[in-house]
Every structure is written in structure tokens, then in C-alpha cells.
Amino acid sequence: MAETKRTYRHITESQVIITQLMLPSHSNFSGKIHGGHILNLMDQIAFACASKHSGYYCVTASVNKVDFLNPIEVGELVTLKASVNYTGRTSMVVGLRVISENIRTGKIKHCNSSYFTMVAKDENGKSAPVPGIILTNKEEIRRFARSIVRQHQGRKRTSKFSSKTFKIEDYKHLFEGSNSKIELKEN
């Protein structure tokens, strides 16, 4: 089997920024921009960033926590920034930051940040190897390391709560004082 030469790209080569005016058609019943619309924009920019880095069509494998920190109003400009924070063999973690700007006042709000894991796919739909990233400063190294730690924590969490190994008695104390009531039925 021939050994392929690994390639690397600078993070700045695949960074993507988009800005969009928020219209009434993007709003929910309370007049704020619908979270689903923002998630759709986030998925689009994560795709663009990952595809630009890898040179392949990319699919979303997972999204790590999206907290909506501040509401976005109709008429505000929303800017989404995407950057590859981590590269695996066929996957990339794309860091996203969403900010809004009130055009009249100039006030800027951080609305959310998230991490999308994207997988490169070749023309046959198989996972394709992606170029690595060149880390050039402390912030890029911190983001890469954070992605590795987040992956390890995710694996632990998944195995710890597997339906095959989960033991109620190990977690029963978590329900004390919670807004729940356990009524186990015998099978």
C-alpha cells in the first residue's frame, strides 16, 4: 500500500465570515429571530469552512452545545465566523461565533458560540482524508487541545450512560431535590 504524503493548511486559508440582515420572515412569534434560522445559518457556514479546508463535500456529524446567549432582533446584522479548530483523519471541528449588530446604535452582542464536527466525503460518499492544520499561535493551539479534550469527554459520557452498563443506583442521588419522581415498574 502506497504511503500518502500528509498535507497541512493554515487555519486562515479556510476561515469564512458571512453577514446577513435579519428580516421579519426570520422571526418567531415573539418578534425575535427564530433559533432554527440561526442554526441553519450556522450549519451552512460550518459546511463552507470545512469544505474549503478539505476540498470535499462535508456533512455535519455532530453539534456540541448551542446556547442562545442574547436574542437577535429583526433589522440587526448577524455575522457568523467559522474557523477549523481541529483536524482528525477525516473529520474537522469547526468553531463558530455568532454576533449581532444593531445598525442604528452600533451595539454588538455575542449571541452564541458552538462547535460543529464535520466529516469530508468523497465522490462515492466515503469518508475522505482531510489536510491537517498548521497551528501558528497560542490561541490556535488552545482550541486544538480543547477539541481533543472535548472528544475524550464525549466518549466517556457516551460509555458511562450506555443502556447496557447504566446502573440506576450509581445515579439515584442526583434525583434528590430534583423536579422528578421515580416510579419504577417491574418488567
Side-chain angles (χ1 to χ4, degrees):
M1 192 158 128
E3 187 174 316
T4 57
K5 186 176 190 252
R6 196 168 250 298
T7 59
Y8 298 88
R9 299 190 71 198
H10 284 93
I11 291 172
T12 55
E13 294 179 72
S14 57
Q15 288 175 326
V16 178
I17 299 173
I18 60 171
T19 300
Q20 194 172 85
L21 176 65
M22 293 297 103
L23 302 172
S25 61
H26 303 140
S27 67
N28 58 24
F29 296 113
S30 68
K32 308 295 184 206
I33 299 305
H34 197 289
H37 180 68
I38 300 303
L39 285 170
N40 181 38
L41 292 174
M42 292 170 72
D43 194 46
Q44 288 177 38
I45 195 169
F47 165 83
C49 182
S51 295
K52 191 173 175 182
H53 178 81
S54 68
Y56 288 103
Y57 179 84
C58 293
V59 296
T60 306
S62 69
V63 177
N64 183 287
K65 194 174 180 185
V66 178
D67 290 326
F68 292 97
L69 306 172
N70 288 296
I72 300 170
E73 307 289 336
V74 170
E76 290 185 332
L77 289 177
V78 169
T79 299
L80 296 93
K81 300 177 182 183
S83 184
V84 175
N85 289 354
Y86 169 85
T87 50
R89 194 178 71 71
T90 62
S91 66
M92 297 149 281
V93 173
V94 176
L96 300 173
R97 184 172 178 87
V98 180
I99 60 170
S100 68
E101 178 183 357
N102 182 303
I103 297 170
R104 290 188 315 265
T105 66
K107 182 180 178 187
I108 294 175
K109 299 180 287 190
H110 175 213
C111 300
N112 68 34
S113 295
S114 188
Y115 304 94
F116 279 53
T117 299
M118 308 296 289
V119 176
K121 297 291 185 176
D122 66 15
E123 53 281 341
N124 299 314
K126 303 285 185 212
S127 296
V130 301
I133 54 175
I134 300 168
L135 306 169
T136 61
N137 59 51
K138 185 178 178 180
E139 186 63 16
E140 291 172 353
I141 294 168
R142 181 189 70 80
R143 288 177 178 159
F144 194 93
R146 184 176 180 187
S147 292
I148 292 170
V149 169
R150 191 179 303 107
Q151 284 180 338
H152 291 305
Q153 290 171 340
R155 284 187 200 110
K156 270 193 222 171
R157 191 171 43 254
T158 301
S159 64
K160 196 185 248 188
F161 289 96
S162 163
S163 61
K164 291 180 173 96
T165 60
F166 181 79
K167 294 183 179 98
I168 294 172
E169 54 276 6
D170 292 345
Y171 297 94
K172 216 168 188 176
H173 68 280
L174 297 175
F175 295 87
E176 294 168 11
S178 73
N179 190 16
S180 67
K181 181 178 177 183
I182 297 174
E183 292 181 355
L184 285 176
K185 296 179 182 169
E186 298 298 321
N187 291 338

